[in-house]
Amino acid sequence: MKFFIPLLLFIITNVYAQTVVTTSPQYPTQTDTITITFDVTHQTDSRTLVGYSGSVYAHTGVYVNNDNSTWKHVIGTWGNNSTQPQMTRVSSNVYSIVIRNPRNFYGVTSSSENITTLNFVLRSADGTKQTEDIHVPIYSAGISVVLNSPKINLNYGDPMRSPYFISSGTTFPISATSTAGPSTKSVTLYINGDQKYQSNTSTLQYLFSANDNPSWKNIVKIIAEDLTGKKDSTQFAIVTNPPVNDAPLPAGNQIGINYGSDNSSVTLALYAPYKKNVYVIGDFNDWKVDQSFYMNRYQVRPDSVIWWITIPNLNPGEEYSYQFLVDGSLRIYDPYTEKILDANNDPYIPAMVYPDLKAYPTGKTSGLVSVLQTDQPQYSWKVPSFTRPPKDKLVIYELLIRDFVSTHWYQTIIDTLSYFRKLGINAIELMPVIEFDGNDSWGYNPTTYFAPDKYYGTENDLKAFIDACHQNGIAVIQDIVLNHAYNSNSMAQLYWDSANNRPAANNPWFNTVSPNTAYS
């Protein structure tokens, strides 16, 4: 979506960390009439709806085909109360909405699209208060298996893309329900292909023991069958984390992305104290958790820890997308990446502005994704050494690219440099061009600090613009806001106090409370 909301991490369930959600029927399908009730009584963050007495509207869309990377078929636009459905107040802090046939309600007409989740953000009429993102699962008609415990995301296409992580010696309950209710014949649990337990009711309860299943990974499959012989199944992986290997960061490497001299390897180094473990997931392992991509730990002090790994056998010049999987649940992009992929906003970048943009790994992960590339094409500078005008002689033109040219493209501005020469300026100050939230922005909401925003062109397009300015005797000044960060920022996500909707007290970088009380 193209709006700013508090960063909260949720797992698909009927109870969301703050908002309690119930549905009637309990297991709705995409053609049912569904009454959804939202109880915000326990919402505690700074934008809570608790006690609010005005009108509340729903920003709502769907996930289709288990693709949880992009909201589809969104009704209206964010903040437009005339196009978004108004909620019914049931009682203080409780709201409801009736959706008669979700396919019709959201305008899902293609037979190739199946609604798998209804998505909501409840918002006050004046926009000052709102809930977290809320996801309501939709079930197949007939019989379905609902995994109640453990709480994991099953929508990444392979159980090893989102396993349930445990420690050695752990025991925990596995719980599943058949939506067929009393028409259920059996619910059967298998571990690595071996039947372990069968229930002859609609519910299954099984106590998993790591000691009884000592493999590094265990694949659990649950099959439900009704009295007519119809079946449904689900499966997930249980991974026992190995001990973390403590080793110093190899000499010559620093925090961030370190490319090997062989053009086929990279050493990634993430600064993240107080974390238990980190995996790298990405194109090189098909986004699956793999022991070979378990990061080493270099701990100088408890509050100074670098996680690192060297990845060999990369194809020179090929782009690889990747994320860090921290403590088994948090997926973040590399803070030092020079390029991110954004499933919500990249589709709106014209191919003319950014040709051959690498595709987002749809269905394999979620959130913003970082990109690395060994043996990158180098830009050949026409002006390798530029003499800047004296500071007391600067005549500066402040430039917002998206407003100055309709193409929002560096190349168009290059073609317009004669206009600036006629004005008599000798410096262009670019309003922030580092990657920011959304596509349409002044740039003062940076997502990450080293990646140029793709909405204006490629990294080499930016270099070509700077080079062309220098050829015309024009200096380029970049406006940057290093003290700004929003909830999409991976460093903010690493240490986030979700209860208070702000950076956690142990974060290494940010104020826990913004000193800017007017525009925070």
Side-chain angles (χ1 to χ4, degrees), residues 345-489:
N345 293 297
D346 287 357
Y348 303 100
I349 299 176
M352 178 188 72
V353 173
Y354 204 108
D356 302 318
L357 176 58
K358 182 176 174 61
Y360 185 90
T362 299
K364 296 182 178 181
T365 191
S366 57
L368 300 177
V369 165
S370 38
V371 176
L372 62 82
Q373 182 185 22
T374 65
D375 196 25
Q376 297 180 28
Q378 298 299 305
Y379 179 80
S380 179
W381 291 93
K382 297 180 177 64
V383 183
S385 179
F386 176 69
T387 302
R388 292 177 288 185
K391 291 182 180 179
D392 60 349
K393 303 296 182 182
L394 286 173
V395 182
I396 303 170
Y397 190 105
E398 185 182 38
L399 179 65
L400 176 58
I401 294 173
R402 68 111 202 257
D403 280 2
F404 189 78
V405 290
S406 61
T407 59
H408 51 80
W409 187 22
Y410 293 115
Q411 184 58 53
T412 308
I413 300 178
I414 292 173
D415 297 338
T416 316
L417 287 179
S418 59
Y419 167 79
F420 293 103
R421 288 202 312 270
K422 292 175 183 177
L423 287 179
I425 62 101
N426 60 6
I428 292 176
E429 178 187 351
L430 293 175
M431 291 175 70
V433 297
I434 56 178
E435 192 73 56
F436 46 75
D437 289 349
N439 286 330
D440 190 0
S441 172
W442 281 11
Y444 295 105
N445 53 325
T447 301
T448 191
Y449 303 117
F450 297 99
D453 198 287
K454 303 185 300 297
Y455 194 63
Y456 297 152
T458 67
E459 182 176 331
N460 280 346
D461 286 343
L462 172 57
K463 293 177 181 178
F465 165 73
I466 296 170
D467 209 9
C469 286
H470 291 173
Q471 286 179 290
N472 284 273
I474 299 172
V476 178
I477 302 168
Q478 292 199 45
D479 187 352
I480 57 176
V481 281
L482 298 180
N483 66 324
H484 287 203
Y486 287 78
N487 306 94
S488 58
N489 183 293

Side-chain angles (χ1 to χ4, degrees), residues 118-167:
L118 309 183
N119 303 322
F120 298 87
V121 175
L122 305 191
R123 176 182 174 277
S124 63
D126 61 5
T128 62
K129 304 177 185 302
Q130 67 183 55
T131 66
E132 69 278 16
D133 278 20
I134 299 169
H135 308 291
V136 178
I138 294 296
Y139 299 91
S140 302
I143 186 170
S144 294
V145 176
V146 181
L147 183 65
N148 304 313
S149 174
K151 301 295 187 182
I152 52 178
N153 191 328
L154 300 176
N155 297 323
Y156 292 138
D158 186 286
M160 288 304 293
R161 292 197 182 116
S162 182
Y164 184 68
F165 293 94
I166 62 173
S167 301

Side-chain angles (χ1 to χ4, degrees), residues 100-299:
R100 293 176 175 84
N101 191 319
R103 293 191 68 84
N104 293 339
F105 186 86
Y106 292 98
V108 181
T109 58
S110 173
S111 60
S112 65
E113 289 187 316
N114 289 307
I115 299 174
T116 48
T117 308
L118 309 183
N119 303 322
F120 298 87
V121 175
L122 305 191
R123 176 182 174 277
S124 63
D126 61 5
T128 62
K129 304 177 185 302
Q130 67 183 55
T131 66
E132 69 278 16
D133 278 20
I134 299 169
H135 308 291
V136 178
I138 294 296
Y139 299 91
S140 302
I143 186 170
S144 294
V145 176
V146 181
L147 183 65
N148 304 313
S149 174
K151 301 295 187 182
I152 52 178
N153 191 328
L154 300 176
N155 297 323
Y156 292 138
D158 186 286
M160 288 304 293
R161 292 197 182 116
S162 182
Y164 184 68
F165 293 94
I166 62 173
S167 301
S168 178
T170 297
T171 59
F172 70 93
I174 297 174
S175 172
T177 302
S178 161
T179 61
S183 297
T184 301
K185 178 182 178 182
S186 63
V187 184
T188 309
L189 180 142
Y190 300 83
I191 298 178
N192 299 327
D194 296 329
Q195 182 176 328
K196 296 292 185 178
Y197 185 73
Q198 185 175 80
S199 168
N200 294 323
T201 69
S202 62
T203 60
L204 178 145
Q205 302 284 341
Y206 178 79
L207 189 65
F208 179 91
S209 169
N211 290 336
D212 294 339
N213 301 275
S215 300
W216 172 69
K217 68 175 181 180
N218 291 279
I219 304 299
V220 178
K221 186 171 185 178
I222 301 172
I223 301 176
E225 182 178 2
D226 68 14
L227 295 175
T228 68
K230 292 181 180 178
K231 297 180 180 180
D232 185 56
S233 66
T234 190
Q235 62 178 358
F236 65 95
I238 302 171
V239 166
T240 305
N241 283 317
V244 172
N245 180 49
D246 287 293
L249 181 66
N253 293 284
Q254 59 186 354
I255 297 170
I257 305 170
N258 305 270
Y259 292 110
S261 58
D262 58 359
N263 286 329
S264 62
S265 64
V266 66
T267 296
L268 303 175
L270 173 69
Y271 185 81
Y274 311 119
K275 302 304 177 182
K276 297 177 182 178
N277 55 70
V278 185
Y279 289 87
V280 179
I281 53 176
D283 293 339
F284 26 70
N285 53 26
D286 196 24
W287 293 91
K288 299 175 185 177
V289 170
D290 186 325
Q291 276 189 310
S292 302
F293 294 85
Y294 197 53
M295 298 185 76
N296 304 285
R297 178 177 58 193
Y298 176 40
Q299 179 169 303

